[in-house]
Amino acid sequence: MKKVAVIMGSDSDWPVVKGACAQLEEFGIPCEAHILSAHRTPVAAAGFARNARANGFGVLICAAGMAAHLAGAFAGNSTLPVIGIPMKGGAMDGLDALLATVQMPGGIPVATVAINGAKNAAVLAAQILAVSDDALAAKLDAARETMVAQIAEKEAKLQAELGN
Ligand code: RP5
């Protein structure tokens, strides 16, 4: 199976970003986490992105806060799908990162998830890999079934509490 790279701009992003790694592991998807910055380590970041396909990666997840150019820099250096996670924090509390990550120029897309949306980044990466992996697609279907069962249980509890 192709690997997923989980890249973050700083170790300060890790407490949130590790949620993406946990979700990928739950689906049995091999992943590597690295700290690389579009601004602080631009040469290493570009090198990683340029070699990612040859190194066995299928999807790149990039998390960054504030002037969040990491996902865009990766997208500019690779034709692998790039998923951006704008990180909460800084003077604008993540709105700056959201706009910097999502507002890409034509031809260089970044699939941007919610601010701090590490879980959805991992699920989206799994869905991309599942296009050509039936076993992974079955795991995604099973996860949806679990969600349906959980909501049904919560609904039953709520109705019981309301006396219905
Ligand atoms: C971004 O700046 C990082 O992704 C992080 O979200 C933010 C703050 O980084 P630190 O100052 O905590 O290293 O590049």
Side-chain angles (χ1 to χ4, degrees):
M1 192 192 287
K2 297 277 188 196
K3 296 180 287 184
V4 173
V6 179
I7 311 298
M8 68 212 90
S10 168
D11 61 335
S12 64
D13 300 320
W14 179 239
V16 170
V17 171
K18 66 182 174 190
C21 298
Q23 182 63 70
L24 290 165
E25 277 162 24
E26 226 175 286
F27 287 131
I29 298 170
C31 76
E32 281 185 24
H34 296 283
I35 299 166
L36 289 166
S37 166
H39 307 122
R40 292 166 174 159
T41 65
V43 175
F48 190 101
R50 285 180 174 270
N51 294 315
R53 189 184 293 276
N55 285 335
F57 293 97
V59 182
L60 308 172
I61 293 175
C62 297
M66 302 198 289
H69 298 128
L70 186 63
F74 267 67
N77 280 298
S78 175
T79 53
L80 290 173
V82 175
I83 300 170
I85 308 173
M87 297 299 297
K88 191 174 167 69
M92 295 178 203
D93 215 17
L95 183 58
D96 44 2
L98 172 63
L99 297 178
T101 305
V102 78
Q103 293 286 23
M104 288 297 293
I108 311 290
V110 168
T112 305
V113 295
I115 293 170
N116 278 7
K119 182 186 174 90
N120 270 1
V123 174
L124 182 54
Q127 291 180 179
I128 291 167
L129 294 178
V131 166
S132 58
D133 184 331
D134 290 344
L136 182 54
K139 286 182 190 173
L140 286 164
D141 286 340
R144 292 284 174 102
E145 289 304 318
T146 301
M147 264 186 259
V148 169
Q150 285 169 342
I151 295 296
E153 196 180 321
K154 287 174 184 173
E155 164 69 0
K157 261 189 202 157
L158 175 66
Q159 294 309 322
E161 189 182 316
L162 294 172
N164 297 326

